[in-house]
């Protein structure tokens, strides 16, 4: 798949494949300002934790251009404000704040010897955003190879939401594991939970895998227990939006239910995510902020109301799976095994020592 996030540095335009329109249409949304990027993130033009991070990085590059067009001291303050607002566009995926912090870190390092001119900041932010994008796809391929070793020829793997090429710079995390297993010659089939209310599984995971010729079947979210009870699922692999220091993991609403069922039916349950999704500053799952999204996502389907007027709804976008239900966290540094606290801090320390992201 061509990258669904394309930055035209010459024109100063970020082109995003609109996830809301898939699979019916491959439509492009063009962003020229940080506000347009924030809107695209909040309305789910692009979604999925690593893809959100990459998009945010290019949003910073657009913010640098806006500041350069209004040179002077207030312009620098405006750049800082724009970066703050981009970092807060969605609350749960830690990759968003991580990407903006990395852009800020690159700027601080470059300015150690003196302030940069506005057009130098533009060039620096362009370079850093492209680097984040390229590294993300490489990390997905690497973690995919580690995860593929956990799957067996003939396995049917259940996944929830979309943690694929669309949710990253390319290749995917959970779907990267599946792609890598297929590349190893294993016959793998996939059950994609439909993932109400935004239908990331039914629309996006099914679209990606079908395009790659990987056998995929869509099931309603509430079919999971039945499918596992019939021995139709040999492993679960999901992505993550934020992994706390103790291994508790926030992912798309419904993941917790899948994990509880997997434990009951003795199906291995794995989380696949780059180390940048681990938030060492969040001690456990209770401290992870959970996004609540507009009620219309639940009350309406295809533009038609499906719930009675006036009845309130709950639309939590994520839930937290306790570390105790996770058999392994598949990262670019290998598969982390429980108990996670110590293992996670060692993996993060090694990454810092090796100068990786
Ligand atoms: O609300 P979304 O679509 O951004 O939620 C996405 C997920 O929950 C994904 O599983 C997660 O971000 C991992 S993407 C590699």
């Amino acid at each position: 798949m061509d990258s669904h996030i394309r930055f035209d540095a010459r024109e100063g335009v970020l082109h995003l494949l609109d996830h809301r329109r898939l699979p019916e249409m491959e439509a492009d949304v063009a962003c020229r300002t940080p506000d347009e990027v924030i809107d695209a993130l909040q309305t789910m033009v692009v979604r999925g934790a690593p893809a959100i991070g990459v998009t945010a990085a290019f949003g910073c590059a657009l913010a640098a251009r806006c500041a350069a067009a209004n040179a002077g001291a207030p312009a620098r303050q405006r750049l800082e404000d724009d970066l703050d607002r981009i970092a807060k566009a969605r609350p749960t995926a830690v990759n968003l704040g991580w990407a903006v912090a990395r852009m800020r870190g690159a700027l601080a390092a470059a300015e150690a010897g003196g302030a940069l001119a506005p057009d130098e900041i533009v060039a620096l932010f362009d370079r850093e955003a492209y680097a984040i994008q390229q590294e993300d796809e490489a990390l997905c391929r690497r973690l995919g190879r580690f995860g593929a070793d956990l799957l067996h020829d003939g396995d049917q793997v259940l996944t929830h939401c979309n943690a694929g090429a669309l949710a990253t710079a390319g290749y995917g995390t959970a779907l990267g594991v599946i792609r890598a297993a297929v590349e190893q010659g294993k016959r793998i089939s996939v059950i994609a939970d439909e993932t109400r209310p935004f239908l990331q599984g039914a629309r996006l995971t099914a679209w990606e895998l079908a395009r790659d010729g990987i056998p995929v079947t869509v099931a309603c979210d509430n079919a999971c227990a039945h499918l596992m009870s019939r021995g139709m699922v040999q492993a679960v692999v999901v992505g993550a939006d934020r992994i706390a220091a103790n291994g508790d993991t926030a992912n798309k609403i419904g993941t917790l239910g899948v994990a509880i069922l997997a434990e009951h039916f003795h199906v291995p349950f794995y989380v696949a995510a780059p180390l940048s999704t681990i938030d060492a500053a969040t001690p456990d799952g209770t401290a992870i902020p959970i996004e609540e999204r507009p009620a219309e996502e639940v009350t309406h389907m295809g533009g038609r109301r499906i719930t009675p007027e006036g009845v309130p709804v709950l639309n939590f976008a994520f839930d937290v799976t306790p570390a105790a239900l996770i058999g392994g966290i598949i990262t670019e540094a290998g598969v982390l095994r429980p108990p996670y606290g110590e293992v996670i801090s060692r993996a993060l320390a090694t990454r810092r020592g090796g100068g990786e992201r």
Side-chain angles (χ1 to χ4, degrees):
M1 191 176 88
D2 290 341
S3 180
H4 64 111
I5 303 170
R6 285 183 301 109
F7 188 57
D8 182 338
R10 231 167 49 139
E11 298 294 326
V13 182
L14 178 61
H15 295 277
L16 302 170
L17 175 63
D18 191 344
H19 295 196
R20 300 167 306 182
R21 311 286 291 273
L22 292 170
E24 296 90 348
M25 186 181 287
E26 292 181 39
D28 176 84
V29 171
C31 301
R32 291 178 176 79
T33 64
D35 284 297
E36 287 174 353
V37 171
I38 290 167
D39 185 63
L41 290 169
Q42 291 180 335
T43 59
M44 312 268 274
V45 169
V46 62
R47 27 63 49 204
I52 288 171
V54 172
T55 304
F58 286 121
C60 295
L62 293 177
R65 279 169 175 72
C66 291
N70 302 283
R76 184 56 182 258
Q77 187 54 50
R78 181 178 160 182
L79 174 62
E80 296 296 340
D81 292 347
D82 282 345
L83 300 198
D84 283 345
R85 288 185 313 107
I86 292 169
K88 291 185 186 131
R90 290 187 71 188
T92 304
V94 74
N95 309 58
L96 181 56
W98 171 88
V100 175
R102 176 160 156 177
M103 302 298 278
R104 279 204 159 106
L107 181 56
E111 289 195 321
L116 295 188
D119 56 336
E120 290 175 316
I121 299 179
V122 169
L124 174 79
F125 274 14
D126 284 4
R127 275 198 308 277
E128 198 67 19
Y130 281 125
I132 289 175
Q133 184 177 36
Q134 278 164 15
E135 286 167 25
D136 186 63
E137 178 160 354
L139 291 176
C140 286
R141 289 183 183 276
R142 190 139 177 235
L143 76 81
R145 285 193 292 275
F146 284 121
D149 294 337
L150 302 170
L151 303 182
H152 304 104
D153 187 34
D155 277 357
Q156 178 144 262
V157 179
L158 183 138
T159 189
H160 191 74
C161 193
N162 170 261
L166 287 168
T168 59
Y171 203 67
T173 55
L175 297 195
V177 169
I178 289 159
R179 286 192 167 98
V182 170
E183 284 162 19
Q184 286 180 352
K186 292 173 183 161
R187 285 161 299 173
I188 304 290
S189 56
V190 178
I191 293 179
D193 275 354
E194 64 174 351
T195 320
R196 274 277 288 155
F198 196 71
L199 303 179
Q200 288 94 330
R203 297 187 303 104
L204 308 177
T205 296
W207 181 76
E208 273 194 31
L209 293 178
R211 272 168 61 116
D212 278 7
I214 297 175
V216 57
T217 305
V218 173
C220 296
D221 296 330
N222 48 11
C224 184
H226 177 71
L227 300 176
M228 287 187 179
S229 76
R230 293 285 168 100
M232 292 172 72
V233 180
Q234 281 69 53
V236 176
V237 188
V238 297
D241 283 82
R242 190 185 297 230
I243 300 173
N246 73 341
D248 291 352
T249 295
N251 191 51
K252 181 52 53 191
I253 189 83
T255 304
L256 171 60
V258 173
I260 291 169
L261 290 169
E263 169 93 348
H264 180 81
F265 290 109
H266 309 293
V267 174
F269 180 95
Y270 302 112
V271 169
L275 291 175
S276 58
T277 303
I278 300 176
D279 181 8
T282 299
D284 60 43
T286 60
I288 299 177
I290 300 295
E291 178 180 9
E292 288 186 61
R293 294 198 49 85
E296 291 67 38
E297 290 181 355
V298 176
T299 57
H300 287 69
M301 232 183 192
R304 227 184 99 237
R305 176 171 272 283
I306 57 164
T307 62
E309 202 79 58
V311 174
V313 298
L314 297 170
N315 190 13
F316 292 101
F318 302 96
D319 58 26
V320 176
T321 299
L325 295 178
I326 301 170
I329 300 176
I330 304 162
T331 74
E332 70 273 24
V335 180
L336 311 184
R337 296 287 192 176
Y340 291 111
E342 181 64 17
V343 177
I344 284 179
S345 51
R346 237 181 298 127
L348 293 179
T350 310
R351 175 193 61 172
R352 276 193 291 275
E356 285 179 42
R357 63 189 279 198

